[in-house]
Amino acid sequence: MVTKQVGGSPEDADLRRADSLAREIFSDVANKRAFLIIEALGERTLRFSELRDEVEGISHKMLTQNLRMLERNGLVRRAVYPTVPPRVEYSLTEPGQALRATVDGMCGWTHQYLGHIEDARRRFDA
Amino acid sequence: MVTKQVGGSPEDADLRRADSLAREIFSDVANKRAFLIIEALGERTLRFSELRDEVEGISHKMLTQNLRMLERNGLVRRAVYPTVPPRVEYSLTEPGQALRATVDGMCGWTHQYLGHIEDARRRFDA
DNA sequence: CCGAATCCACAACGATACTG
DNA sequence: CAGTATCGTTGTGGATTCGG
């Protein structure tokens, strides 16, 4: 993604490890649902069911799955309150907030070029 | 993604249309491979096979598929030179370049938080 | 309310072969 | 070289159910 021409030296081994990890993270995070969840959370704290309503169209399963993944990568914080009924709250960590900036960028991009894209599609589909 | 509480008025119909289109674009573009292709292109012009080498691990099929998608949405320009053998060159359009900025942002984010993430994973996996 | 697990339909994917 | 088509496999994702 950034590193090229790595040789056989010890420092290069580190570079390769970092690069493979970076690709892995990219595969996890650069995905539609993860972005939507990050957008939905913003700087709020939301319960599972609220998040489910917020990210419309997402299934229970995919939401948990992606939340686990984001939690594992340290983007999302999960707080469990052992009440009855149980209460689980999700919020963005600092790294999560940092990524939100670029996700916001993409949202802005989408709206800015909406017209362009609509036109491009019409032209292409003809 | 941005629009909420839309009612039944004509302007709201437009908002809904724009929003559904925005979600569609999001689904198309917010994907691992699209990002990698955009990164690979940067401000260069690359042939199909060069692109294939650049985005390592991508299959012939997935590359064409994503290139078509990006072309359809007007992010990528496809130039065909009817020589023998044929020569096809891909480059980013202006909207594509604009999106590249945010993709770059994500790459930067990845490297910045690599350590954080590695730690978070270790903690989670325990 | 939250989440894990099961089942299964169907889409995604890679490999391969074929065309201009 | 670039692209399309087909095929078989894998995997994804939704519905449902059960448990804490």
Side-chain angles (χ1 to χ4, degrees):
Chain A
M1 179 148 36
V2 123
T3 329
K4 310 246 152 78
Q5 302 288 355
V6 260
S9 74
E11 315 87 65
D12 288 348
D14 277 0
L15 282 180
R16 257 194 309 277
R17 220 187 80 281
D19 220 45
S20 109
L21 183 59
R23 268 197 300 273
E24 219 182 305
I25 295 167
F26 223 71
S27 298
D28 274 3
V29 177
N31 114 32
K32 181 180 85 179
R33 275 183 270 257
F35 276 30
L36 291 174
I37 290 172
I38 291 170
E39 252 318 86
L41 278 177
E43 36 204 16
R44 298 181 291 176
T45 289
L46 291 179
R47 303 184 55 167
F48 183 87
S49 44
E50 293 171 332
L51 210 36
R52 183 167 159 56
D53 295 341
E54 208 65 28
V55 182
E56 40 190 291
I58 197 170
S59 70
H60 187 108
K61 186 185 180 180
M62 287 298 103
L63 182 54
T64 36
Q65 200 166 103
N66 280 274
L67 281 172
R68 287 298 158 275
M69 178 274 287
L70 290 172
E71 189 192 356
R72 182 169 118 87
N73 287 311
L75 304 206
V76 159
R77 178 171 29 245
R78 179 167 175 270
V80 184
Y81 302 95
T83 58
V84 181
R87 180 181 189 82
V88 182
E89 293 187 343
Y90 293 93
S91 57
L92 292 180
T93 61
E94 195 264 313
Q97 287 291 347
L99 184 60
R100 187 166 77 90
T102 92
V103 176
D104 281 349
M106 178 153 177
C107 289
W109 176 88
T110 305
H111 286 96
Q112 181 177 353
Y113 287 98
L114 210 61
H116 269 267
I117 295 170
E118 222 171 349
D119 292 351
R121 284 188 173 192
R122 258 197 299 276
R123 254 176 287 121
F124 186 93
D125 293 343
Chain B
M1 182 149 35
V2 125
T3 328
K4 310 251 153 77
Q5 302 288 354
V6 262
S9 73
E11 316 89 66
D12 289 346
D14 277 0
L15 282 180
R16 256 196 307 278
R17 218 189 82 280
D19 220 46
S20 110
L21 182 59
R23 266 197 299 275
E24 217 182 307
I25 295 166
F26 224 71
S27 298
D28 274 3
V29 177
N31 115 31
K32 180 179 85 177
R33 275 182 270 258
F35 275 28
L36 290 174
I37 291 173
I38 291 171
E39 251 316 85
L41 278 177
E43 35 203 19
R44 299 180 290 176
T45 289
L46 292 178
R47 303 183 54 166
F48 183 86
S49 44
E50 293 170 332
L51 210 35
R52 182 167 161 55
D53 295 340
E54 207 65 28
V55 183
E56 39 190 294
I58 198 170
S59 70
H60 188 109
K61 187 183 179 182
M62 286 301 104
L63 183 55
T64 39
Q65 202 166 101
N66 279 274
L67 281 171
R68 288 297 159 275
M69 178 274 287
L70 290 172
E71 189 191 356
R72 182 168 116 89
N73 288 312
L75 303 207
V76 159
R77 177 171 33 243
R78 179 166 174 271
V80 184
Y81 302 95
T83 58
V84 180
R87 180 182 188 84
V88 182
E89 294 187 341
Y90 293 93
S91 56
L92 293 180
T93 61
E94 195 263 312
Q97 286 291 346
L99 184 60
R100 186 167 76 90
T102 91
V103 176
D104 281 349
M106 177 153 176
C107 289
W109 175 88
T110 304
H111 286 96
Q112 181 176 354
Y113 287 98
L114 211 61
H116 270 267
I117 294 169
E118 222 172 349
D119 292 351
R121 284 188 173 192
R122 257 198 298 275
R123 255 176 286 122
F124 186 92
D125 293 343

